[in-house]
Amino acid sequence: ASSDIVDYVSNSCDKHQYIFHLTDILSTRQKCPQSIAKMPNTIYLLYDVNPPEGFNLRRDVYIRLAVFVRQLASRKPFQNVRLVLPPWRRLTHWKSSHLQQHSLPWEHFFDIESMRRYAPVLDFPEFLTEIAQFGLQEPPYVQVQQVFQLMNFEYMFEQDVFHEKFEFESDCRKEQHLQGYLLQQPMLLDNDFVCVRYQGSVNLLERLLRQQLKNSVGQAANDVKVYAILNAEIVLHDQWGDKEFWRARRSMRFAEPLQQIAEKYRARVLNSHKVDELVQRPPMWESERVYREAVGGDYLAVHFRRGDFVHWRQRSTPTLKSAATQIREQLHLLNLTTVYIATDTTAMELTNLKAYLQRVRVRRFTPESLTQKALIKDGGHAIVDQIICAHARHFIGTFESTFSYRIYEEREILGFPKHTTFNTLCKYATLEDCEKNSVWPIVY
Ligand SMILES: C[C@@H]1O[C@H](OP(=O)(O)OP(=O)(O)OC[C@H]2O[C@@H](n3cnc4c(=O)[nH]c(N)nc43)[C@H](O)[C@@H]2O)[C@@H](O)[C@H](O)[C@@H]1O
């Protein structure tokens, strides 16, 4: 089992060092290390999201929980609550089957220290290290005292009114819900599994947790508690797009190595340099202020979502020719000659798209070596695409793609004028008035 744990960290730290460290911790588990002595009543809140959901919706679910946990931590008895980031499974859209894309920690993609300055979060390997210090009953296994399997209500409205509520479901069999990833983690032992029908904002979770704590009065008050919430996407934002949302969102900076790869690419291929882009990028997100003067690099960026959208979203997904016409028109308006295309399309489609864009410089990021590809993986590649799009003079996204939404948000943080950001590819190049993505400007 300890080799399972090591799997989690094999990408981020030296295996042998880690085994040594873990053995050390386990052998001294009767003592109470300084680091946890001040942590009575620690509650670890694990969570997971519906398996088919993509990367960028998962980022949004994180924000719902981060805002909640930050506020919860200011109220008794939750001062020592920790939100544990679920290890990344191989997502449906991560198609490079030769890459190891299981059990990736969040630090692979995000700057955890930056996120932690907003809310008390722990990456999964950090959680395993920290909880081991409490003295596990069955090391290296971790007892999850209660698993809450969230489910939607069958009917959302009662007499046309939407009420916030939760109810325990009696017809609940754990075997039906095992496709989730979190519970497949070999070191997590789950005790009690309950299904909860849930509708409402994330704040309703506080009632659920308080009820749970009341029911566990038999345990010592300062016992460490581990709870897991499955299908956490069912909880809604308390307030989408308010100041707290944006604080959590701004704290979610990408991992530095991915930022550097994107920066080098912009300089080398797009001749775009930090100093000329005039984007807002203080070392810490806390120093960001209202700003709309970003200029960006001398290129148009387009997120052209294909993949499953070609079949399931025919109504809004343009053909290659239509997309090319819109790109041409926009380049003409901006007096630019370079377009950066982020896309999940096939090589064949890309060649066809380029054929419609003769005399336009079409650029697209590909990892410079197999080593870099293996290092950043499909998720990192997508993030590099997002960073490059975020720094362009002008951006056009895909209708109803969360991948594009996250680029909009990034550009809002960097300080671009709104009209350069909230643009959407239309199905038909001739249709001025097509359905557009909503505009959600940043607030401070
Ligand atoms: C309708 C829903 O849309 C959701 O997609 P949508 O919101 O675009 O956005 P995501 O949920 O992120 O899923 C799309 C995934 O496809 C890859 N991908 C898409 N566009 C690009 C790109 O420009 N560059 C790179 N490198 N990768 C890309 C990437 O792995 C990304 O996370 C889907 O996750 C759901 O399964 C469902 O289909």
Side-chain angles (χ1 to χ4, degrees):
S2 54
S3 69
D4 291 323
I5 297 181
V6 171
D7 273 344
Y8 280 100
V9 287
S10 58
N11 293 316
S12 53
C13 65
D14 183 276
K15 271 189 191 183
H16 304 290
Q17 227 180 25
Y18 186 75
I19 295 169
F20 181 73
H21 180 50
L22 187 66
T23 326
D24 242 19
I25 290 166
L26 297 177
S27 66
T28 56
R29 66 184 187 276
Q30 297 313 327
K31 300 176 210 147
C32 187
Q34 272 297 312
S35 53
I36 62 151
K38 303 183 286 299
M39 294 188 352
N41 260 326
T42 300
I43 299 171
Y44 294 100
L45 202 56
L46 279 58
Y47 76 97
D48 204 358
V49 172
N50 191 26
E53 301 296 353
F55 190 80
N56 287 294
L57 179 96
R58 285 164 190 267
R59 288 176 64 188
D60 190 67
V61 174
Y62 163 76
I63 292 178
R64 301 173 207 181
L65 292 169
V67 172
F68 165 67
V69 165
R70 177 186 161 86
Q71 287 164 0
L72 188 69
S74 65
R75 295 194 280 275
K76 278 186 182 171
F78 296 105
Q79 291 93 332
N80 283 328
V81 67
R82 303 268 185 280
L83 182 65
V84 180
L85 304 169
W88 293 95
R89 61 188 292 140
R90 175 194 286 281
L91 300 177
T92 330
H93 302 277
W94 292 353
K95 301 241 189 291
S96 307
S97 51
H98 57 288
L99 298 178
Q100 196 293 105
Q101 309 206 65
H102 270 295
S103 301
L104 302 180
W106 279 55
E107 69 159 8
H108 194 85
F109 302 120
F110 298 101
D111 178 346
I112 305 291
E113 289 310 323
S114 169
M115 290 161 70
R116 216 175 344 251
R117 292 201 308 276
Y118 177 75
V121 300
L122 286 177
D123 214 349
F124 200 73
E126 291 177 315
F127 158 68
L128 293 176
T129 307
E130 188 173 299
I131 198 161
Q133 298 179 65
F134 281 92
L136 304 173
Q137 284 164 348
E138 298 175 74
Y141 296 109
V142 177
Q143 290 277 341
V144 181
Q145 279 96 345
Q146 187 71 61
V147 179
F148 299 101
Q149 169 64 61
L150 301 189
M151 301 163 82
N152 288 307
F153 277 91
E154 235 163 280
Y155 303 104
M156 278 206 296
F157 297 96
E158 281 169 45
Q159 284 138 12
D160 292 340
V161 184
F162 180 91
H163 289 290
E164 295 223 327
K165 59 180 177 182
F166 66 81
E167 273 169 25
F168 290 92
E169 170 68 53
S170 52
D171 182 18
C172 170
R173 275 180 299 122
K174 187 177 162 191
E175 310 77 70
Q176 290 174 328
H177 301 280
L178 283 184
Q179 76 277 34
Y181 192 53
L182 190 66
L183 292 192
Q184 290 169 18
Q185 301 310 303
M187 72 291 295
L188 296 183
L189 303 176
D190 51 295
N191 264 353
D192 254 333
F193 186 95
V194 286
C195 293
V196 184
R197 296 225 178 248
Y198 189 103
Q199 71 178 32
S201 88
V202 64
N203 289 345
L204 196 59
L205 278 183
E206 182 173 348
R207 260 175 50 202
L208 185 67
L209 293 176
R210 283 195 186 277
Q211 195 165 321
Q212 180 59 33
L213 285 174
K214 229 163 91 191
N215 293 344
S216 57
V217 280
Q219 297 172 18
N222 59 357
D223 264 2
V224 54
K225 301 193 176 56
V226 184
Y227 299 143
I229 297 174
L230 306 183
N231 282 76
E233 75 286 352
I234 288 178
V235 306
L236 305 174
H237 278 284
D238 178 32
Q239 298 282 328
W240 200 89
D242 71 349
K243 202 167 132 185
E244 276 316 301
F245 166 90
W246 280 103
R247 277 162 57 77
R249 176 63 184 80
R250 282 159 47 212
S251 73
M252 215 179 181
R253 287 191 166 184
F254 293 125
E256 192 51 36
L258 298 174
Q259 307 256 26
Q260 280 176 16
I261 291 172
E263 194 179 320
K264 277 195 194 141
Y265 179 89
R266 292 201 316 274
R268 185 171 55 82
V269 178
L270 300 165
N271 195 22
S272 164
H273 304 274
K274 250 185 5 191
V275 277
D276 310 326
E277 289 169 346
L278 298 184
V279 298
Q280 148 158 265
R281 196 68 186 174
M284 288 167 67
W285 60 267
E286 293 91 328
S287 312
E288 289 160 355
R289 298 283 176 270
V290 178
Y291 175 76
R292 287 273 174 209
E293 309 299 320
V295 172
D298 284 344
Y299 59 96
L300 163 69
V302 177
H303 174 230
F304 188 22
R305 180 79 158 80
R306 300 291 288 168
D308 46 341
F309 272 42
V310 177
H311 304 290
W312 303 116
R313 304 218 160 200
Q314 282 181 18
R315 209 171 50 80
S316 53
T317 304
T319 59
L320 300 179
K321 189 173 177 189
S322 163
T325 309
Q326 294 173 64
I327 290 169
R328 244 182 213 298
E329 274 175 15
Q330 194 58 55
L331 284 170
H332 180 70
L333 287 173
L334 297 166
N335 201 16
L336 291 174
T337 49
T338 305
V339 60
Y340 180 83
I341 298 188
T343 183
D344 56 342
T345 195
T346 58
M348 168 77 92
E349 276 200 343
L350 197 67
T351 309
N352 293 341
L353 180 68
K354 282 182 181 167
Y356 290 120
L357 287 169
Q358 279 174 15
R359 289 187 298 283
V360 172
R361 289 177 73 225
V362 180
R363 295 292 177 262
R364 189 190 184 204
F365 170 80
T366 45
E368 63 190 20
S369 63
L370 289 176
T371 316
Q372 188 180 67
K373 189 175 166 74
L375 204 70
I376 67 173
K377 308 184 191 294
D378 290 339
H381 185 158
I383 286 174
V384 171
D385 265 344
Q386 288 184 315
I387 300 173
I388 299 169
C389 288
H391 285 77
R393 175 76 40 82
H394 193 96
F395 173 67
I396 311 178
T398 293
F399 186 61
E400 290 187 337
S401 163
T402 56
F403 191 103
S404 291
Y405 296 169
R406 300 292 92 85
I407 297 172
Y408 290 164
E409 291 161 11
E410 209 62 32
R411 290 177 63 88
E412 282 293 280
I413 297 167
L414 292 173
F416 282 92
K418 279 183 279 187
H419 72 275
T420 71
T421 292
F422 293 101
N423 305 297
T424 315
L425 281 172
C426 291
K427 167 88 185 168
Y428 302 108
T430 46
L431 199 70
E432 275 283 287
D433 182 22
C434 71
E435 249 186 317
K436 302 272 172 30
N437 286 326
S438 311
V439 177
W440 289 99
I442 194 165
V443 289
Y444 284 92

